[in-house]
Amino acid sequence: QVQVVESGGGLVQAGGSLRLSCAVSGVTFRINDFGWYRQAPGKQRELVATIRLGGALNYGDFVKGRFTLSRDRVENTVYLQMNSLKPEDTAVYYCYANVRSGVVWGRGTQVTVSS
């Protein structure tokens, strides 16, 4: 059974940094793509960053060079380095993995940025 587990969220002041990790286990076939979405209270879930099997990266428009997604293919882990955080980045960050059996989501990790 595929499992997606996030870690690394927390409270940080505006301008600070956080690094989120997402570990995918139970995968017997390739991961087509995986990455991060986020959802703030009262808002729809939105794309943060994703990486495809071939390495192509895609970022949400609001990222504007502040976040960097990287991947450890051996460990099936992705990392989201978030710099220059803003209060509007406050949200629950969800990791997902698109595998052969479908899309699997993690339970999310809270990121709170204080002003």
Side-chain angles (χ1 to χ4, degrees), residues 8-59:
L11 173 64
V12 65
Q13 288 189 330
S17 299
L18 281 174
R19 188 188 193 215
L20 305 183
S21 299
C22 172
V24 182
S25 61
V27 177
T28 56
F29 294 93
R30 66 187 182 189
I31 300 175
N32 295 316
D33 56 276
F34 56 155
W36 296 88
Y37 279 70
R38 72 182 188 182
Q39 187 165 19
K43 295 187 177 181
Q44 290 187 332
R45 192 171 292 191
E46 62 178 345
L47 167 72
V48 179
T50 63
I51 185 166
R52 297 190 61 82
L53 179 64
L57 293 164
N58 186 33
Y59 292 98

Side-chain angles (χ1 to χ4, degrees), residues 5-115:
V5 179
E6 305 101 333
S7 61
L11 173 64
V12 65
Q13 288 189 330
S17 299
L18 281 174
R19 188 188 193 215
L20 305 183
S21 299
C22 172
V24 182
S25 61
V27 177
T28 56
F29 294 93
R30 66 187 182 189
I31 300 175
N32 295 316
D33 56 276
F34 56 155
W36 296 88
Y37 279 70
R38 72 182 188 182
Q39 187 165 19
K43 295 187 177 181
Q44 290 187 332
R45 192 171 292 191
E46 62 178 345
L47 167 72
V48 179
T50 63
I51 185 166
R52 297 190 61 82
L53 179 64
L57 293 164
N58 186 33
Y59 292 98
D61 291 341
F62 64 88
V63 171
K64 298 186 185 303
R66 300 182 297 128
F67 299 175
T68 302
L69 184 67
S70 59
R71 173 183 63 183
D72 183 332
R73 296 186 71 168
V74 174
E75 298 294 332
N76 281 337
T77 301
V78 284
Y79 304 96
L80 183 67
Q81 178 66 43
M82 303 187 295
N83 299 325
S84 302
L85 284 162
K86 307 174 182 179
E88 51 264 43
D89 293 317
T90 295
V92 178
Y93 285 67
Y94 296 92
C95 183
Y96 81 95
N98 183 11
V99 298
R100 182 177 181 179
S101 58
V103 177
V104 181
W105 290 92
R107 301 179 72 171
T109 184
Q110 176 70 45
V111 171
T112 303
V113 185
S114 63
S115 57

